[in-house]
Amino acid sequence: MEVFVKIIAEDLKSGKRKIAATALSTFVALDQHNRPTRVSQVIPETEEERKLHETEPDRARKRKERDQKRKEMDAFLTTKYPGDRYSLC
């Protein structure tokens, strides 16, 4: 499940508003056996929600690509100290 967070700042004197920050967080719902489980689908209602909903598959694809690259980098990294050619760590 992907959760969108939008923080809006407002000047209390003028009433002027601006977006201060946005974030997308991904969560996995777990059942009583700690296995991934489905959750009820959210129905987008506003234009903003529909756009976020439509563009989610692309974000998911990019997230999977980043995760794969991160795993490849993690497999390459070591715990050796620089210059310690004989460390077994």
Side-chain angles (χ1 to χ4, degrees):
M1 140 184 7
E2 190 178 66
V3 176
F4 176 68
V5 178
K6 177 173 56 175
I7 300 170
I8 299 171
E10 181 176 355
D11 183 314
L12 296 177
K13 292 181 182 178
S14 69
K16 184 177 178 183
R17 301 172 118 200
K18 67 178 182 177
I19 296 174
T22 61
L24 282 161
S25 296
T26 304
F27 297 89
V28 176
L30 302 176
D31 65 14
Q32 64 270 23
H33 304 291
N34 287 331
R35 290 183 294 211
T37 188
R38 296 184 75 80
V39 295
S40 299
Q41 186 173 357
V42 173
I43 311 248
E45 297 176 359
T46 67
E47 182 180 350
E48 184 177 58
E49 290 171 347
R50 283 190 286 276
K51 181 69 171 179
L52 288 165
H53 185 73
E54 290 170 7
T55 55
E56 190 282 330
D58 188 48
R59 286 190 302 278
R61 180 186 56 76
K62 289 177 182 176
R63 188 170 44 252
K64 287 178 184 175
E65 290 172 1
R66 277 193 316 268
D67 288 348
Q68 181 60 37
K69 288 179 182 177
R70 189 176 309 116
K71 286 178 185 177
E72 291 169 5
M73 180 59 77
D74 288 348
F76 174 77
L77 299 174
T78 71
T79 57
K80 295 179 184 177
Y81 287 107
D84 187 3
R85 296 185 293 173
Y86 304 105
S87 175
L88 298 176
C89 295

Coordinates of all heavy atoms in Angstrom, one line a residue:
M1 N 0.9 -1.2 0.0 CA 0.0 0.0 0.0 C 0.9 1.2 0.0 O 1.9 1.3 0.7 CB -0.9 -0.1 1.2 CG -1.2 1.2 1.9 SD -2.2 1.1 3.5 CE -2.4 -0.6 3.8
E2 N 0.5 2.2 -0.8 CA 1.3 3.4 -0.9 C 0.5 4.5 -0.2 O -0.7 4.7 -0.5 CB 1.5 3.7 -2.4 CG 2.5 4.9 -2.6 CD 2.8 5.1 -4.1 OE1 1.8 5.5 -4.8 OE2 3.9 4.8 -4.5
V3 N 1.1 5.3 0.7 CA 0.4 6.4 1.4 C 1.1 7.7 1.0 O 2.3 7.8 1.0 CB 0.5 6.2 2.9 CG1 -0.1 7.4 3.6 CG2 -0.1 4.9 3.3
F4 N 0.3 8.6 0.5 CA 0.7 10.0 0.1 C 0.5 10.9 1.3 O -0.6 11.0 1.8 CB 0.0 10.4 -1.1 CG 0.3 11.8 -1.6 CD1 1.6 12.1 -2.1 CD2 -0.6 12.8 -1.5 CE1 1.9 13.4 -2.5 CE2 -0.3 14.1 -1.9 CZ 0.9 14.4 -2.4
V5 N 1.5 11.7 1.6 CA 1.4 12.7 2.7 C 1.7 14.1 2.0 O 2.7 14.2 1.4 CB 2.4 12.4 3.8 CG1 2.3 13.5 4.9 CG2 2.1 11.0 4.4
K6 N 0.9 15.0 2.3 CA 1.1 16.4 1.8 C 1.0 17.3 3.0 O 0.0 17.3 3.7 CB 0.1 16.8 0.7 CG 0.2 18.2 0.2 CD -0.7 18.5 -1.0 CE -2.2 18.2 -0.7 NZ -3.1 18.6 -1.8
I7 N 2.0 18.1 3.2 CA 2.0 19.1 4.3 C 1.8 20.5 3.7 O 2.6 20.9 2.8 CB 3.3 19.0 5.1 CG1 3.4 17.6 5.7 CG2 3.3 20.1 6.2 CD1 4.7 17.4 6.4
I8 N 0.8 21.2 4.1 CA 0.5 22.5 3.6 C 0.8 23.6 4.7 O 0.3 23.4 5.8 CB -1.0 22.6 3.2 CG1 -1.2 21.6 2.1 CG2 -1.3 24.0 2.7 CD1 -2.7 21.4 1.7
A9 N 1.6 24.6 4.3 CA 1.9 25.7 5.2 C 0.9 26.8 4.9 O 0.6 27.0 3.7 CB 3.3 26.1 5.0
E10 N 0.4 27.5 5.9 CA -0.5 28.6 5.6 C 0.0 29.9 6.5 O 0.2 29.8 7.6 CB -1.9 28.3 6.0 CG -2.9 29.3 5.8 CD -4.3 28.9 6.1 OE1 -4.6 27.7 6.4 OE2 -5.2 29.8 6.0
D11 N 0.0 31.0 5.8 CA 0.3 32.3 6.5 C -1.0 32.7 7.1 O -2.0 32.9 6.4 CB 0.7 33.3 5.4 CG 1.1 34.6 6.1 OD1 0.3 35.1 7.0 OD2 2.1 35.2 5.7
L12 N -1.1 32.7 8.4 CA -2.3 33.0 9.1 C -2.8 34.4 8.9 O -4.0 34.6 9.0 CB -2.1 32.7 10.6 CG -1.8 31.2 11.0 CD1 -1.6 31.1 12.5 CD2 -2.9 30.3 10.5
K13 N -2.0 35.3 8.6 CA -2.4 36.7 8.4 C -3.0 36.8 7.0 O -4.1 37.4 6.8 CB -1.3 37.7 8.5 CG -0.8 37.8 10.0 CD 0.3 38.8 10.1 CE 0.8 38.8 11.6 NZ 1.9 39.8 11.7
S14 N -2.3 36.3 6.0 CA -2.8 36.5 4.6 C -3.7 35.4 4.1 O -4.4 35.5 3.1 CB -1.6 36.7 3.6 OG -0.9 35.4 3.5
G15 N -3.6 34.2 4.7 CA -4.3 33.0 4.3 C -3.7 32.3 3.1 O -4.2 31.3 2.6
K16 N -2.5 32.8 2.7 CA -1.8 32.2 1.6 C -1.3 30.9 2.0 O -0.7 30.7 3.0 CB -0.7 33.2 1.1 CG 0.0 32.6 -0.1 CD 1.1 33.6 -0.6 CE 1.8 33.0 -1.8 NZ 2.9 33.9 -2.2
R17 N -1.5 29.9 1.1 CA -1.1 28.5 1.4 C 0.0 28.1 0.4 O 0.0 28.5 -0.8 CB -2.2 27.6 1.3 CG -3.3 27.9 2.3 CD -4.5 27.0 2.0 NE -4.8 26.3 3.2 CZ -5.5 25.1 3.2 NH1 -6.0 24.7 2.1 NH2 -5.7 24.5 4.4
K18 N 0.9 27.2 0.8 CA 1.8 26.6 -0.1 C 2.1 25.2 0.4 O 2.0 24.9 1.6 CB 3.1 27.4 -0.2 CG 3.9 27.4 1.0 CD 5.2 28.2 0.8 CE 6.0 28.2 2.1 NZ 7.3 28.9 1.9
I19 N 2.5 24.3 -0.6 CA 2.9 23.0 -0.2 C 4.3 23.0 0.4 O 5.3 23.5 -0.2 CB 2.9 22.1 -1.4 CG1 1.4 21.9 -1.9 CG2 3.4 20.7 -1.1 CD1 1.3 21.2 -3.2
A20 N 4.4 22.6 1.6 CA 5.7 22.6 2.3 C 6.5 21.4 2.1 O 7.7 21.4 2.1 CB 5.5 22.9 3.8
A21 N 5.8 20.2 2.0 CA 6.5 19.0 1.8 C 5.5 17.9 1.3 O 4.3 18.0 1.6 CB 7.2 18.5 3.1
T22 N 6.0 17.0 0.6 CA 5.2 15.8 0.2 C 6.1 14.5 0.4 O 7.3 14.6 0.4 CB 4.8 15.8 -1.3 OG1 5.9 15.9 -2.1 CG2 3.9 17.0 -1.6
A23 N 5.4 13.4 0.6 CA 6.1 12.2 0.8 C 5.2 11.0 0.3 O 4.0 11.1 0.4 CB 6.5 12.0 2.2
L24 N 5.8 10.0 -0.2 CA 5.1 8.8 -0.5 C 5.8 7.7 0.3 O 7.0 7.5 0.2 CB 5.2 8.4 -2.0 CG 4.3 9.2 -2.9 CD1 4.8 9.2 -4.4 CD2 2.9 8.7 -2.8
S25 N 5.0 7.0 1.1 CA 5.5 5.9 1.9 C 4.9 4.6 1.5 O 3.7 4.6 1.2 CB 5.3 6.1 3.4 OG 6.0 7.3 3.8
T26 N 5.6 3.5 1.4 CA 5.1 2.2 1.0 C 5.0 1.3 2.3 O 6.0 1.2 3.0 CB 5.9 1.6 -0.1 OG1 6.0 2.5 -1.1 CG2 5.4 0.3 -0.5
F27 N 3.9 0.6 2.4 CA 3.7 -0.3 3.6 C 3.2 -1.6 3.1 O 2.6 -1.7 2.0 CB 2.7 0.3 4.6 CG 3.1 1.6 5.2 CD1 2.8 2.8 4.6 CD2 3.8 1.6 6.4 CE1 3.2 4.0 5.2 CE2 4.2 2.8 7.0 CZ 3.9 4.0 6.4
V28 N 3.4 -2.7 3.8 CA 2.9 -4.0 3.5 C 2.0 -4.4 4.7 O 2.5 -4.4 5.8 CB 4.0 -5.0 3.3 CG1 3.4 -6.4 3.1 CG2 4.9 -4.6 2.1
A29 N 0.7 -4.7 4.4 CA -0.2 -5.1 5.5 C 0.1 -6.6 5.7 O 0.4 -7.4 4.8 CB -1.6 -5.0 5.0
L30 N 0.1 -7.0 7.0 CA 0.4 -8.3 7.4 C -0.8 -9.0 8.1 O -1.5 -8.3 8.9 CB 1.6 -8.4 8.3 CG 2.9 -7.8 7.8 CD1 4.0 -7.8 8.9 CD2 3.4 -8.5 6.6
D31 N -1.0 -10.3 7.9 CA -2.1 -11.0 8.5 C -1.6 -11.5 9.9 O -0.5 -11.1 10.3 CB -2.6 -12.1 7.7 CG -1.6 -13.2 7.4 OD1 -0.6 -13.3 8.1 OD2 -1.9 -14.1 6.6
Q32 N -2.4 -12.2 10.6 CA -2.1 -12.7 11.9 C -0.8 -13.6 12.0 O -0.3 -13.9 13.0 CB -3.3 -13.4 12.6 CG -3.7 -14.6 11.9 CD -4.8 -14.4 10.9 OE1 -4.9 -13.3 10.3 NE2 -5.5 -15.4 10.6
H33 N -0.4 -14.1 10.8 CA 0.8 -15.0 10.7 C 2.0 -14.2 10.1 O 2.9 -14.8 9.7 CB 0.5 -16.2 9.8 CG -0.7 -17.0 10.3 ND1 -0.7 -17.7 11.5 CD2 -2.0 -17.1 9.8 CE1 -1.9 -18.3 11.7 NE2 -2.7 -17.9 10.6
N34 N 1.8 -12.9 10.1 CA 2.9 -12.0 9.6 C 3.2 -12.2 8.1 O 4.3 -12.1 7.7 CB 4.2 -12.1 10.4 CG 4.0 -11.4 11.8 OD1 3.3 -10.5 11.9 ND2 4.8 -11.9 12.8
R35 N 2.2 -12.6 7.4 CA 2.3 -12.8 5.9 C 1.6 -11.6 5.2 O 0.6 -11.1 5.7 CB 1.8 -14.1 5.5 CG 2.6 -15.3 5.9 CD 2.0 -16.6 5.4 NE 0.7 -16.7 6.0 CZ 0.1 -17.9 6.3 NH1 0.7 -19.0 6.0 NH2 -1.1 -17.9 6.9
P36 N 2.2 -11.2 4.1 CA 1.5 -10.1 3.4 C 0.0 -10.4 3.1 O -0.3 -11.6 2.8 CB 2.3 -9.9 2.1 CG 3.6 -10.5 2.5 CD 3.4 -11.6 3.4
T37 N -0.8 -9.5 3.2 CA -2.3 -9.7 3.0 C -2.8 -8.5 2.2 O -2.3 -7.4 2.3 CB -3.0 -9.9 4.3 OG1 -4.4 -10.3 4.0 CG2 -3.0 -8.7 5.2
R38 N -3.9 -8.7 1.5 CA -4.6 -7.6 0.8 C -5.4 -6.7 1.8 O -5.8 -7.1 2.8 CB -5.5 -8.2 -0.2 CG -4.8 -9.0 -1.3 CD -5.7 -9.5 -2.4 NE -6.1 -8.4 -3.3 CZ -5.3 -8.0 -4.3 NH1 -4.2 -8.5 -4.5 NH2 -5.8 -7.0 -5.1
V39 N -5.5 -5.5 1.4 CA -6.3 -4.5 2.1 C -7.4 -4.0 1.2 O -7.3 -4.1 0.0 CB -5.5 -3.3 2.7 CG1 -4.5 -3.8 3.7 CG2 -4.8 -2.6 1.6
S40 N -8.4 -3.4 1.7 CA -9.5 -2.8 0.9 C -8.9 -1.7 0.0 O -8.1 -0.9 0.4 CB -10.5 -2.2 1.8 OG -11.1 -3.1 2.6
Q41 N -9.3 -1.7 -1.3 CA -8.9 -0.8 -2.2 C -9.5 0.6 -1.9 O -10.7 0.7 -1.6 CB -9.2 -1.2 -3.6 CG -8.6 -0.3 -4.7 CD -8.9 -0.9 -6.1 OE1 -9.4 -1.9 -6.3 NE2 -8.4 -0.1 -7.1
V42 N -8.7 1.6 -2.1 CA -9.2 3.0 -1.9 C -9.7 3.5 -3.3 O -9.0 3.3 -4.3 CB -8.0 3.9 -1.4 CG1 -8.5 5.4 -1.4 CG2 -7.6 3.5 0.0
I43 N -10.8 4.1 -3.3 CA -11.4 4.7 -4.5 C -11.0 6.1 -4.6 O -11.4 6.9 -3.8 CB -12.9 4.5 -4.5 CG1 -13.3 3.1 -4.1 CG2 -13.5 5.0 -5.8 CD1 -13.9 2.2 -5.1
P44 N -10.1 6.5 -5.6 CA -9.8 7.9 -5.7 C -11.0 8.8 -6.1 O -11.8 8.4 -6.9 CB -8.7 7.9 -6.8 CG -8.9 6.6 -7.5 CD -9.6 5.7 -6.6
E45 N -11.1 9.9 -5.4 CA -12.2 10.8 -5.6 C -11.9 12.1 -6.3 O -12.7 12.6 -7.1 CB -13.0 11.0 -4.3 CG -13.5 9.7 -3.6 CD -14.1 10.0 -2.3 OE1 -14.1 11.1 -1.8 OE2 -14.6 9.0 -1.7
T46 N -10.8 12.7 -5.9 CA -10.4 14.0 -6.5 C -9.5 13.8 -7.7 O -8.9 12.7 -7.9 CB -9.7 14.8 -5.4 OG1 -8.4 14.2 -5.1 CG2 -10.5 15.0 -4.1
E47 N -9.3 14.9 -8.4 CA -8.4 14.8 -9.6 C -7.0 14.5 -9.1 O -6.3 13.7 -9.7 CB -8.4 16.2 -10.3 CG -7.5 16.2 -11.5 CD -7.6 17.6 -12.2 OE1 -8.4 18.4 -11.9 OE2 -6.7 17.8 -13.1
E48 N -6.6 15.0 -8.0 CA -5.3 14.8 -7.4 C -5.1 13.3 -7.0 O -4.1 12.6 -7.4 CB -5.0 15.7 -6.2 CG -3.7 15.6 -5.6 CD -3.5 16.5 -4.4 OE1 -4.3 16.4 -3.4 OE2 -2.6 17.4 -4.4
E49 N -6.1 12.7 -6.4 CA -6.1 11.3 -6.0 C -6.1 10.4 -7.2 O -5.4 9.4 -7.3 CB -7.3 11.0 -5.1 CG -7.2 11.6 -3.7 CD -8.5 11.4 -3.0 OE1 -9.6 11.1 -3.6 OE2 -8.5 11.7 -1.8
R50 N -6.8 10.8 -8.3 CA -6.9 10.0 -9.5 C -5.5 10.0 -10.2 O -5.0 8.9 -10.6 CB -7.9 10.5 -10.4 CG -9.3 10.0 -10.0 CD -10.4 10.3 -11.1 NE -10.7 11.8 -11.2 CZ -11.5 12.4 -10.4 NH1 -12.2 11.8 -9.5 NH2 -11.8 13.7 -10.6
K51 N -4.8 11.1 -10.2 CA -3.5 11.2 -10.8 C -2.5 10.3 -10.0 O -1.7 9.6 -10.6 CB -3.1 12.7 -10.9 CG -1.7 12.9 -11.5 CD -1.7 12.6 -13.0 CE -0.4 13.0 -13.6 NZ -0.4 12.7 -15.0
L52 N -2.5 10.4 -8.7 CA -1.6 9.6 -7.9 C -1.9 8.1 -8.1 O -1.0 7.3 -8.2 CB -1.8 10.0 -6.4 CG -1.2 11.3 -6.0 CD1 -1.8 11.7 -4.6 CD2 0.3 11.3 -6.0
H53 N -3.2 7.8 -8.2 CA -3.6 6.4 -8.4 C -3.1 5.9 -9.8 O -2.6 4.8 -9.9 CB -5.1 6.2 -8.3 CG -5.6 4.8 -8.4 ND1 -5.4 3.9 -7.3 CD2 -6.3 4.2 -9.3 CE1 -6.0 2.8 -7.7 NE2 -6.5 2.9 -8.9
E54 N -3.3 6.7 -10.8 CA -2.9 6.3 -12.2 C -1.4 6.1 -12.3 O -0.9 5.3 -13.1 CB -3.3 7.4 -13.2 CG -4.8 7.5 -13.4 CD -5.2 8.7 -14.2 OE1 -4.3 9.4 -14.7 OE2 -6.4 9.0 -14.3
T55 N -0.6 6.9 -11.6 CA 0.9 6.9 -11.8 C 1.6 5.9 -10.8 O 2.8 5.8 -10.9 CB 1.4 8.3 -11.6 OG1 1.0 8.8 -10.3 CG2 1.0 9.2 -12.7
E56 N 0.8 5.2 -10.0 CA 1.4 4.3 -9.0 C 2.1 3.1 -9.7 O 3.2 2.8 -9.3 CB 0.3 3.8 -8.1 CG 0.9 3.0 -6.9 CD 1.3 1.6 -7.2 OE1 0.7 1.0 -8.2 OE2 2.3 1.1 -6.6
P57 N 1.6 2.5 -10.8 CA 2.4 1.4 -11.4 C 3.8 1.8 -11.8 O 4.7 1.0 -11.6 CB 1.5 1.0 -12.6 CG 0.1 1.4 -12.2 CD 0.3 2.7 -11.4
D58 N 3.9 3.0 -12.3 CA 5.3 3.4 -12.7 C 6.2 3.6 -11.5 O 7.4 3.2 -11.6 CB 5.2 4.8 -13.5 CG 6.5 5.2 -14.1 OD1 7.2 4.3 -14.7 OD2 6.9 6.4 -13.9
R59 N 5.6 4.2 -10.4 CA 6.4 4.3 -9.2 C 6.8 2.9 -8.7 O 8.0 2.7 -8.2 CB 5.7 5.1 -8.1 CG 5.6 6.6 -8.4 CD 5.1 7.4 -7.3 NE 3.8 7.0 -6.8 CZ 2.6 7.3 -7.4 NH1 2.7 8.2 -8.4 NH2 1.5 6.9 -6.9
A60 N 5.9 2.0 -8.7 CA 6.2 0.6 -8.2 C 7.3 0.0 -9.1 O 8.2 -0.7 -8.5 CB 4.9 -0.3 -8.3
R61 N 7.3 0.1 -10.4 CA 8.3 -0.4 -11.2 C 9.7 0.2 -10.9 O 10.7 -0.5 -10.7 CB 8.0 -0.1 -12.7 CG 9.0 -0.7 -13.7 CD 8.7 -0.3 -15.1 NE 8.5 1.2 -15.3 CZ 9.5 2.0 -15.4 NH1 10.8 1.6 -15.2 NH2 9.3 3.3 -15.5
K62 N 9.7 1.5 -10.7 CA 11.0 2.2 -10.4 C 11.5 1.8 -9.0 O 12.7 1.6 -8.8 CB 10.8 3.7 -10.5 CG 10.6 4.2 -11.9 CD 10.3 5.7 -11.9 CE 10.1 6.2 -13.3 NZ 9.8 7.7 -13.3
R63 N 10.6 1.6 -8.1 CA 11.0 1.2 -6.8 C 11.6 -0.2 -6.8 O 12.6 -0.5 -6.2 CB 9.7 1.2 -5.8 CG 10.0 0.9 -4.4 CD 8.8 1.2 -3.5 NE 7.5 0.6 -4.0 CZ 6.5 1.4 -4.5 NH1 6.6 2.7 -4.5 NH2 5.4 0.8 -4.9
K64 N 11.0 -1.1 -7.6 CA 11.6 -2.5 -7.7 C 13.0 -2.4 -8.4 O 13.9 -3.2 -8.0 CB 10.7 -3.4 -8.6 CG 9.4 -3.8 -7.8 CD 8.5 -4.6 -8.6 CE 7.2 -4.9 -7.8 NZ 6.2 -5.6 -8.6
E65 N 13.1 -1.6 -9.4 CA 14.5 -1.4 -10.0 C 15.5 -0.9 -9.0 O 16.6 -1.4 -9.0 CB 14.4 -0.4 -11.2 CG 13.6 -1.0 -12.4 CD 13.4 0.0 -13.5 OE1 13.8 1.2 -13.3 OE2 12.7 -0.3 -14.5
R66 N 15.1 0.1 -8.2 CA 16.0 0.7 -7.2 C 16.4 -0.4 -6.2 O 17.5 -0.5 -5.7 CB 15.4 1.8 -6.5 CG 15.5 3.2 -7.2 CD 15.2 4.3 -6.2 NE 14.0 4.1 -5.5 CZ 12.7 4.5 -5.8 NH1 12.5 5.1 -7.0 NH2 11.7 4.3 -5.1
D67 N 15.4 -1.2 -5.7 CA 15.6 -2.3 -4.8 C 16.6 -3.3 -5.3 O 17.5 -3.7 -4.6 CB 14.3 -3.0 -4.4 CG 13.4 -2.1 -3.5 OD1 13.9 -1.1 -3.0 OD2 12.2 -2.5 -3.3
Q68 N 16.5 -3.6 -6.6 CA 17.4 -4.6 -7.2 C 18.8 -4.0 -7.3 O 19.8 -4.7 -6.9 CB 16.9 -5.0 -8.6 CG 17.8 -6.0 -9.3 CD 17.9 -7.3 -8.5 OE1 16.9 -7.8 -7.9 NE2 19.1 -7.9 -8.5
K69 N 18.9 -2.8 -7.7 CA 20.3 -2.2 -7.7 C 20.9 -2.1 -6.3 O 22.1 -2.3 -6.1 CB 20.2 -0.8 -8.3 CG 19.9 -0.8 -9.8 CD 19.8 0.6 -10.4 CE 19.5 0.5 -11.9 NZ 19.3 1.8 -12.5
R70 N 20.0 -1.8 -5.3 CA 20.5 -1.7 -3.9 C 21.0 -3.1 -3.5 O 22.1 -3.2 -2.8 CB 19.4 -1.2 -3.0 CG 19.9 -0.9 -1.6 CD 18.8 -0.3 -0.7 NE 18.2 0.8 -1.3 CZ 16.9 0.8 -1.7 NH1 16.1 -0.2 -1.4 NH2 16.3 1.9 -2.2
K71 N 20.3 -4.2 -3.8 CA 20.7 -5.5 -3.5 C 22.0 -5.9 -4.1 O 22.9 -6.5 -3.5 CB 19.6 -6.5 -3.8 CG 18.4 -6.5 -2.9 CD 17.4 -7.5 -3.4 CE 16.1 -7.3 -2.6 NZ 15.1 -8.2 -3.0
E72 N 22.2 -5.5 -5.4 CA 23.4 -5.8 -6.1 C 24.6 -5.0 -5.4 O 25.7 -5.6 -5.3 CB 23.3 -5.4 -7.6 CG 22.4 -6.2 -8.3 CD 22.0 -5.7 -9.7 OE1 22.6 -4.7 -10.1 OE2 21.2 -6.3 -10.4
M73 N 24.4 -3.8 -5.0 CA 25.4 -3.0 -4.4 C 25.8 -3.6 -3.0 O 26.9 -3.7 -2.6 CB 25.0 -1.5 -4.2 CG 26.1 -0.7 -3.5 SD 27.7 -0.6 -4.4 CE 27.3 0.5 -5.7
D74 N 24.7 -4.0 -2.3 CA 24.9 -4.6 -1.0 C 25.8 -5.9 -1.1 O 26.6 -6.2 -0.2 CB 23.6 -5.0 -0.3 CG 22.9 -3.7 0.2 OD1 23.5 -2.6 0.2 OD2 21.7 -3.8 0.6
A75 N 25.6 -6.7 -2.1 CA 26.3 -7.9 -2.3 C 27.8 -7.6 -2.6 O 28.7 -8.4 -2.4 CB 25.7 -8.7 -3.4
F76 N 28.1 -6.4 -3.2 CA 29.4 -6.0 -3.6 C 30.2 -5.5 -2.4 O 31.4 -5.6 -2.3 CB 29.3 -5.0 -4.7 CG 30.7 -4.4 -5.1 CD1 31.6 -5.1 -5.9 CD2 31.0 -3.1 -4.6 CE1 32.8 -4.5 -6.2 CE2 32.2 -2.6 -5.0 CZ 33.1 -3.3 -5.8
L77 N 29.5 -4.8 -1.5 CA 30.2 -4.1 -0.4 C 30.8 -5.1 0.6 O 30.2 -6.2 0.8 CB 29.2 -3.2 0.3 CG 28.6 -2.1 -0.5 CD1 27.6 -1.3 0.2 CD2 29.8 -1.1 -1.0
T78 N 31.8 -4.7 1.3 CA 32.5 -5.6 2.3 C 32.6 -4.8 3.6 O 32.3 -3.6 3.7 CB 33.9 -6.0 1.9 OG1 34.7 -4.8 1.9 CG2 33.9 -6.6 0.5
T79 N 33.0 -5.5 4.6 CA 33.3 -4.9 5.9 C 34.8 -4.7 6.2 O 35.2 -4.4 7.3 CB 32.7 -5.7 7.1 OG1 33.2 -7.1 7.0 CG2 31.2 -5.8 6.9
K80 N 35.6 -4.9 5.2 CA 37.0 -4.8 5.3 C 37.4 -3.3 5.5 O 36.7 -2.4 5.0 CB 37.8 -5.3 4.0 CG 37.6 -6.7 3.8 CD 38.3 -7.1 2.5 CE 38.2 -8.6 2.2 NZ 38.8 -8.9 0.9
Y81 N 38.5 -3.1 6.2 CA 39.0 -1.7 6.4 C 39.7 -1.4 5.1 O 40.4 -2.3 4.5 CB 40.0 -1.6 7.5 CG 39.3 -1.7 8.9 CD1 39.4 -2.8 9.7 CD2 38.6 -0.6 9.3 CE1 38.8 -2.8 10.9 CE2 38.0 -0.6 10.6 CZ 38.1 -1.7 11.4 OH 37.5 -1.8 12.6
P82 N 39.7 -0.2 4.6 CA 40.5 0.2 3.4 C 42.0 -0.1 3.6 O 42.5 0.1 4.7 CB 40.3 1.7 3.4 CG 39.0 2.0 4.1 CD 39.0 1.0 5.2
G83 N 42.5 -0.7 2.6 CA 44.0 -1.1 2.7 C 44.2 -2.4 3.4 O 45.4 -2.9 3.4
D84 N 43.3 -3.0 4.0 CA 43.5 -4.3 4.7 C 43.2 -5.4 3.7 O 42.1 -6.0 3.7 CB 42.5 -4.4 5.9 CG 42.8 -5.6 6.8 OD1 43.7 -6.3 6.5 OD2 42.0 -5.8 7.7
R85 N 44.2 -5.8 2.9 CA 44.0 -6.8 1.9 C 43.9 -8.2 2.4 O 43.4 -9.1 1.7 CB 45.2 -6.7 0.9 CG 45.3 -5.4 0.2 CD 46.4 -5.4 -0.8 NE 47.7 -5.5 -0.1 CZ 48.8 -5.6 -0.8 NH1 48.9 -5.8 -2.1 NH2 50.0 -5.7 -0.1
Y86 N 44.3 -8.4 3.7 CA 44.3 -9.8 4.2 C 43.2 -10.0 5.2 O 43.1 -11.1 5.7 CB 45.7 -10.0 4.8 CG 46.8 -9.8 3.9 CD1 47.6 -8.6 4.0 CD2 47.0 -10.6 2.8 CE1 48.6 -8.4 3.1 CE2 48.0 -10.4 1.9 CZ 48.8 -9.2 2.0 OH 49.8 -9.0 1.1
S87 N 42.3 -9.1 5.4 CA 41.2 -9.3 6.3 C 40.2 -10.4 5.8 O 40.0 -10.4 4.6 CB 40.4 -8.0 6.5 OG 39.3 -8.2 7.3
L88 N 39.8 -11.2 6.7 CA 38.8 -12.2 6.3 C 37.4 -11.8 6.5 O 36.4 -12.5 6.3 CB 39.1 -13.5 7.1 CG 40.4 -14.1 6.8 CD1 40.6 -15.3 7.7 CD2 40.6 -14.5 5.4
C89 N 37.2 -10.5 6.9 CA 35.8 -10.0 7.2 C 35.0 -9.9 6.0 O 35.5 -9.5 5.0 CB 35.9 -8.7 7.9 SG 36.6 -8.8 9.6

